[in-house]
Amino acid sequence: FLIGLIWWPRPFCLGGSMLQIVLQGLIMATGNYTFFNILTITLFIPCLDDAFLTRWLLPRFLCNRLMRRYHDDSRHGRNSITLVGALIWLKTILIWGMAAYIFICTLVPFSRHFAHKSLPGELQHIYDLTSKYHIAGSYGLFAHMTTQRIEIDVQGSYDGVEWKSYTFKYKPGDLERRLPIVAPHQPRLDWQMWFASLSDANSQPWFINMMAKLLEGSTEVTSLFESCPFPSSSPPKYVRALQSRYFFSPWVNGTSCLPFAHALTGDGSCRAWWTKEDMNEPYLGTLDLNN
């Protein structure tokens, strides 16, 4: 709805653009979507015209400089008016032509969400002409958000009895550890581990390969962790992966761990940020280099 307002008269366009910018700012404050929100805000900035920017956003001294520059340029004479008008019309035609083409291109990936609908072959052909440039695609935020936080605990062992955990750089493990703010950066391994927790290990071949590299003591892989309980010269003989449900610590004595204070125990001492519930089934059973 907010996107559609940019085609309406000026008050609606300005209001819709500002609301969209505020919405993207709120999304940035509540989740890490890398540069998605920043790029969206960038697209809406041109919808804020000069009158709005000079009145509300730009410093007064900069506005005065722009106005002086405008008056200086207007002294070049009337002969340039015809040329300027022609260029403006040409720019308008190009912009509307590009907008129409992009709109047609977006119909093809959008229609894939509706299996019972088919587009005319002409539209598909227009899309195919520039599909290699990825002008339009189905990229976007997740349609459905997860309601629980499942974390995977990667462990290694020399004897299959005593197990030690690998520590991730940006994921919860230690219950007393507060997560850092890393947006818009998305750590390579930690981000993939979130996707892995949404499915089983058999559908994540990269995860199996990572476990094999841990058995081999690969420094390229162990460097992705914050700490490794085994030296690269003496890697573990066995590895496995358990899974647990993590929760923010509950309110105790009127104080919560959200957003910046530790949860308090009964005696008032600062303790855990998290509580966790171990799941019955392991994410990945015990493996060794022979398996």
Side-chain angles (χ1 to χ4, degrees):
F1 173 74
L2 294 178
I3 295 177
L5 291 179
I6 66 175
W7 307 106
W8 286 41
R10 181 176 182 271
F12 297 95
C13 178
L14 293 177
S17 301
M18 289 303 300
L19 288 175
Q20 184 66 251
I21 292 174
V22 171
L23 174 62
Q24 296 302 320
L26 293 174
I27 295 176
M28 292 172 62
T30 56
N32 183 3
Y33 297 99
T34 64
F35 294 95
F36 180 90
N37 312 104
I38 299 175
L39 292 174
T40 304
I41 291 174
T42 303
L43 292 175
F44 278 88
I45 289 179
C47 296
L48 308 178
D49 57 25
D50 295 346
F52 178 86
L53 292 175
T54 54
R55 181 174 182 180
W56 300 105
L57 299 181
L58 295 182
R60 182 171 296 277
F61 76 91
L62 183 58
C63 294
N64 294 335
R65 289 189 60 183
L66 292 175
M67 292 302 295
R68 286 197 299 269
R69 178 67 180 272
Y70 171 77
H71 289 299
D72 292 340
D73 292 343
S74 64
R75 296 174 183 174
H76 290 302
R78 297 179 177 274
N79 294 332
S80 62
I81 295 178
T82 303
L83 178 60
V84 171
L87 292 176
I88 291 176
W89 274 104
L90 178 61
K91 182 184 72 170
T92 302
I93 294 173
L94 290 175
I95 290 176
W96 278 98
M98 292 177 60
Y101 181 75
I102 293 174
F103 176 74
I104 293 174
C105 289
T106 58
L107 291 177
V108 176
F110 181 74
S111 65
R112 293 170 184 165
H113 295 282
F114 307 94
H116 60 285
K117 298 291 184 181
S118 60
L119 294 176
E122 292 78 6
L123 294 182
Q124 181 67 49
H125 177 69
I126 294 175
Y127 173 79
D128 293 338
L129 289 176
T130 54
S131 59
K132 63 179 180 180
Y133 300 112
H134 302 285
I135 294 177
S138 57
Y139 174 77
L141 300 180
F142 296 96
H144 304 283
M145 302 306 295
T146 54
T147 58
Q148 58 182 345
R149 183 170 196 147
I150 298 177
E151 298 292 342
I152 300 173
D153 182 15
V154 177
Q155 299 180 342
S157 174
Y158 287 127
D159 54 12
V161 177
E162 182 182 358
W163 295 88
K164 297 180 180 179
S165 297
Y166 290 80
T167 303
F168 292 93
K169 292 181 179 180
Y170 306 105
K171 293 183 71 63
D174 182 1
L175 298 181
E176 298 185 15
R177 179 188 182 188
R178 184 178 69 180
L179 291 183
I181 298 176
V182 297
H185 171 58
Q186 284 187 336
R188 177 182 176 185
L189 177 58
D190 300 59
W191 180 237
Q192 290 297 324
M193 289 298 295
W194 180 72
F195 282 106
S197 67
L198 301 178
S199 59
D200 57 80
N202 292 328
S203 60
Q204 304 291 334
W206 69 267
F207 185 83
I208 308 295
N209 293 334
M210 182 192 73
M211 301 295 276
K213 290 297 183 180
L214 293 179
L215 290 170
E216 296 172 357
S218 171
T219 54
E220 289 83 359
V221 173
T222 55
S223 63
L224 299 174
F225 293 86
E226 181 175 282
S227 64
C228 176
F230 306 95
S232 58
S233 59
S234 180
K237 186 177 180 180
Y238 306 99
V239 291
R240 69 179 183 182
L242 306 180
Q243 51 186 346
S244 304
R245 290 187 180 90
Y246 272 70
F247 308 90
F248 280 113
S249 296
W251 290 78
V252 180
N253 294 342
T255 304
S256 172
C257 61
L258 295 173
F260 299 113
H262 279 303
L264 302 179
T265 59
D267 57 3
S269 60
C270 293
R271 295 301 297 276
W273 276 79
W274 308 93
T275 60
K276 74 173 184 176
E277 174 187 290
D278 294 331
M279 301 175 67
N280 295 329
E281 302 231 349
Y283 185 76
L284 183 67
T286 302
L287 299 179
D288 57 40
L289 285 178
N290 296 323
N291 181 5

